[in-house]
Amino acid sequence: MSDIQDEYIKQHVSASQINNTVRLSRFFIVSILIVSAYVYGIYQFYFAKPSFYFNLWFIGTELLCCLCLLINSVYFKPDQFALAHAHRWLQVQNLVIGSCIASGMGLVYYYLPLYNPAFSHVHALILSALLLIVSQAFALTFLTQRLTYFCLAFIPAIFPYLTSQFINTETSDPLFHLTINFALIVILLCANITSRIHQRISSLYSKNNRLVENAKQQVLWTDELCKQLQAEINKSKDIELQLQLNNQLLEQKVKERTADIAKMNADLENQQQNLVLAHEIAGLRPWDWNIKDREILVTDSKQQKILKPSKLHHYQLQNIIHLDDIEQFKHAMKQHLRGQSPLYEASYRIQNSNGKWKWVHDIGRVIARDPVNKKPLRMVGIRRDIHQERTDQERLKLAASVLQQAAEGIFILDDQLCYIDVNPFYEQLTGFTHQHIIGKNLFDITANHKSQQRSSHYSILQQLEKIGEFDGELHEEFLSGKEQTIWMHINAITDEQNRVTHYIGIVSDLTERKLQEQRLSYLENYDPLTDLPNRFYYNYQLHQYLVSQQDSIKQLAVIRLNIDRFRPLNEFLTNSGGDELLRQVAQRLRLTNAEALFVAHLNGDDFAIVYEISPIHPSIQQHCEHISKAFSLPFNIFGQDHIITLSMGVAFYPENGRQLDYLNNCAEQALAEAKNLGGNTCRFYSNNNTALLEQGIYLERDLRHAINNNELIVYYQPKINFSDRNIYGFEALVRWNHPSKGIIPPNLFIPLAEQTSLISDIGRIVIQQTAKQIRYWNNIGFDNICVSVNVVAQQLQRGQLLEDLDHAIHTYNICGSSLELEITESSLLENSVTVKNLLNEIKKRKIHISLDDFGTGYSSLAYLADFPIDILKIDRSFVSKIGQNKQEAIVSAMIAMGKAMGMMVVAEGIETKQQLEYLQDLECDIAQGFLFSKPLPEKEATTYLEQHRLIPS
Ligand code: C2E
Ligand code: MG
Ligand code: MG
């Protein structure tokens, strides 16, 4: 290591010696240049004889020095030269300079004293010494980096001097030589010492440099190391951070895992509990049989696990299994234990502690077998209580067989009203098979093209949605082509939350019943012999025409017909012949009276025909002639021709009567007259014909029956005050609630009742019911209500009316002023004194008297003043004609008259607003008519009253 270092130092010292000498040699050359010039100058100045050789030396030396300077500065710029070249150049240069000095010395010392006598030897010594000493002093200063460089300049320079000591011994001064020699030796020694000093300095310098370089290198390395260290520190910090992060993550993960595990544990706990609960609810009892250790773990009814010896358990089990099931149980178990079945499964009955049998289902599997001999080691299973299930299944089977067998159509719908199941009867009813119906919506299997069908279906669906029930008759056209009248009952089935889950429908086939109803209705309304409407239907239809006469039919003619001398002919023809005759008569009447409103067979040989009278139709006279003509042709009864004639009686509406019975009476009277004239003729009713005929015998009997059976009911028609539009009261109007024919209007039975004592009975009933109703209305807060009842002449005459009124007033404890009697003008005519007295008695009880149908009777104004009449009721025939000038004049006159006489005026039959406004302008007091309300049953009348609250005036 030290060798390398020494070598390095050596090289470095040598390089620095060369470098320094190159740099310092310039100063040396310049100083030689100056010394040469100085020596030359001194000679020239003091010894004015120029010497060619000396001049040449001077110029040569100066030029050489300049050349050296030039080469130095051009080729040896600092640090731009090769050391070897420089070393060689320095040697050459120093040698050249030394030679120049030597030549100068030689010239001064040897030549010049010879050449110039002025120039003495002493001068030569001084000048040569000057040149030598000064140049060597400079050489000592600048060339001692290396002793060689110094010697190369020094030795040639002293050569002439040294030689001089030996050549000119006689002229030379020994002191001088001693001095000079000494000086030269000293210089040489100094040069040696200086060169050594320089060498040492260079060596130190190079060492120093090396140390500096080392130090620098060390610093660099230290920096590098520091950097690496910093990087390492950073890296370790990162790693630490990463580690911390990982640590945190790990902790988090551990926490999460712990929480998950805790949750899983809790879930497992819950599931365990759920399982136990599920087992308990489902009646599941798991068992675990360790065959090897002969132990079995069973679950009891409280879900407690009990470990038992398996032998004991099987012994106990066999004791409680039903004898019929034990074989099957053993067989299933053995088979599975032997590995002959993949699963052990058996259903059997076991006996409870209370002795009852219960169905259970046992299922299990061997879960471990001996690997060598395949004998079972462990078996697990579940026993389930299926008693309820078995019972339900049986019940379901039963229900299903009911569904299958039922003679009604039954269907089950889901909550969207789509078919889930239907029974065979329903399939038969609809004409569709099961698979065609299932999945379809309730009405998808019926025709829906008519708007009526659609709206009916829609309303059923709406009802089902609203109230979850539908019950009603439907006529359905199924898409299979079947058409049925059915009764459908649908009920919603709901769950515990009252949500509809299903609908169950029961459908009955009404086709047969409908046919029967039609047959019955036909039998009720038609005569089966002649196929013509019977008396009942005739009366009903005629009444309809009369009631609705204001709408379309203004005039009617009723023709009653009777076969002349029918009884003897009937006896002759025998019954079947008579029937045949009647059939043919009916047929001929139907054919000849095609334009008639209808032809009816009333009874026996009585017929009736109703015609509408209008200018565009033939007259009734013509019709009658036409009938007579038609009957001139014979009837062939069982092969024999018979000529028969007819008697006809005609009555006209409204001329001969407005009410049905009057009209019938009139027609019958006319017929009787025709008969009296010998038959085969037609008579028109005339008022002169007053003879009353025997009539309505059946109606009378039925009416009596109705009275006894309380079939008479009272309807109430509201009466309204014109002034404030409050309810003044009601008119009580009787109705016959016939058990089979429904509500029969009074016009159909009052005229007949008037001809018998029945009208008094009816009157009493009406008064009683009205009084009871007034009491009820009073009780619920309607105190000032006034209800009028209709009374006829017979009631006034018979003397029973007062008693009836008193009885009603006392029984129901009502005020007399809440009653009103409506009497007709005709009632006042007969026995007027008695009537007057009676009316006065009635007035004492504060009961009002009203004159009904004013204007239609005799309209004798005298009795208006004579009788204690409070109210005038203008008949609806006048009210209906409001709008016609003359009629209006009559109405206004009647109102004015009533008012003038201090009476209250009631207008009945108001149907239009125009009528109402007209009467209001005339200051009529009370209004009654369909515009406000039709006569209402008692409940509806109460509702009406409540809705239009009476404000007591
Ligand atoms: P009435 O006493 O003149 O009764 C008024 C009749 O006119 C009632 O017919 C009533 O329904 C009808 N009427 C009321 N307002 C209008 C209307 O705006 N337009 C039309 N077209 N008709 C209207 P109803 O109830 O058929 O009674 C008919 C007749 O029967 C009564 O005529 C009365 O004479 C008699 N009647 C009713 N109930 C009884 C009763 O209890 N006893 C007696 N003796 N006769 C009674
Ligand atoms: Mg009346
Ligand atoms: Mg009236």
Side-chain angles (χ1 to χ4, degrees), residues 739-901:
S740 61
K741 289 164 189 155
I743 300 291
I744 299 176
N747 284 346
L748 293 190
F749 59 91
I750 291 287
L752 171 93
E754 273 188 75
Q755 290 166 26
T756 65
S757 64
L758 288 174
I759 192 67
S760 292
D761 297 336
I762 294 173
R764 190 177 313 116
I765 291 168
V766 173
I767 289 168
Q768 284 288 323
Q769 285 198 20
T770 304
K772 187 178 170 191
Q773 193 60 39
I774 291 170
R775 177 72 264 149
Y776 173 71
W777 282 333
N778 287 349
N779 285 349
I780 61 166
F782 300 99
D783 292 328
N784 289 337
I785 206 87
C786 181
V787 186
S788 60
V789 288
N790 292 283
V791 289
V792 292
Q794 193 197 86
Q795 286 171 278
L796 298 177
Q797 305 290 340
R798 278 172 83 106
Q800 184 70 30
L801 183 62
L802 206 55
E803 210 177 294
D804 291 346
L805 287 169
D806 284 342
H807 183 247
I809 288 172
H810 289 127
T811 312
Y812 295 105
N813 188 23
I814 56 166
C815 183
S817 60
S818 56
L819 267 179
E820 192 178 297
L821 296 188
E822 291 194 12
I823 52 177
T824 49
E825 289 170 275
S826 55
S827 316
L828 304 174
L829 295 175
E830 290 171 45
N831 209 346
S832 56
V833 181
T834 330
V835 172
K836 201 173 180 179
N837 290 340
L838 176 68
L839 291 183
N840 282 330
E841 277 301 310
I842 290 169
K843 285 287 305 176
K844 280 183 193 163
R845 285 153 180 81
K846 299 205 171 79
I847 299 172
H848 304 290
I849 312 279
S850 163
L851 193 62
D852 202 1
D853 301 343
F854 182 69
T856 58
Y858 300 92
S859 302
S860 157
L861 299 181
Y863 55 75
L864 285 181
D866 285 354
F867 293 98
I869 293 165
D870 308 297
I871 300 157
L872 210 63
K873 258 190 112 170
I874 301 172
D875 190 63
R876 71 181 156 98
S877 56
F878 297 102
V879 175
S880 70
K881 285 170 190 153
I882 285 173
Q884 302 171 15
N885 272 347
K886 281 186 183 170
Q887 295 294 332
E888 277 183 3
I890 294 172
V891 174
S892 74
M894 281 198 276
I895 295 173
M897 187 185 69
K899 296 239 127 189
M901 295 179 82

Side-chain angles (χ1 to χ4, degrees), residues 158-170:
I158 62 164
F159 186 73
Y161 172 69
L162 286 178
T163 52
S164 73
Q165 288 181 36
F166 299 107
I167 300 166
N168 289 331
T169 40
E170 67 272 21

Side-chain angles (χ1 to χ4, degrees), residues 35-36 39 53-54 57-58 61 97-113 119 121 123-136 153-165 176-177 180-181 184:
V35 169
S36 306
V39 170
Y53 290 107
F54 193 56
W57 169 79
F58 173 70
T61 303
I97 298 294
S99 302
C100 282
I101 294 166
S103 57
M105 283 279 290
L107 280 174
V108 171
Y109 200 73
Y110 293 108
Y111 174 67
L112 282 182
F119 190 70
H121 193 68
H123 291 131
L125 279 178
I126 292 166
L127 270 188
S128 62
L130 175 72
L131 180 64
L132 183 69
I133 297 298
V134 172
S135 63
Q136 290 315 308
F154 180 71
I155 292 167
I158 62 164
F159 186 73
Y161 172 69
L162 286 178
T163 52
S164 73
Q165 288 181 36
F176 175 74
H177 283 300
I180 290 296
N181 283 341
L184 288 175

Side-chain angles (χ1 to χ4, degrees), residues 553-567:
I553 303 169
K554 298 265 187 280
Q555 283 183 304
L556 283 177
V558 175
I559 309 171
R560 295 290 294 264
L561 307 99
N562 188 266
I563 302 171
D564 295 331
R565 288 169 295 282
F566 177 70
R567 195 179 290 169

Side-chain angles (χ1 to χ4, degrees), residues 286 293 364 397 776:
D293 299 345
K397 265 188 204 161
Y776 173 71

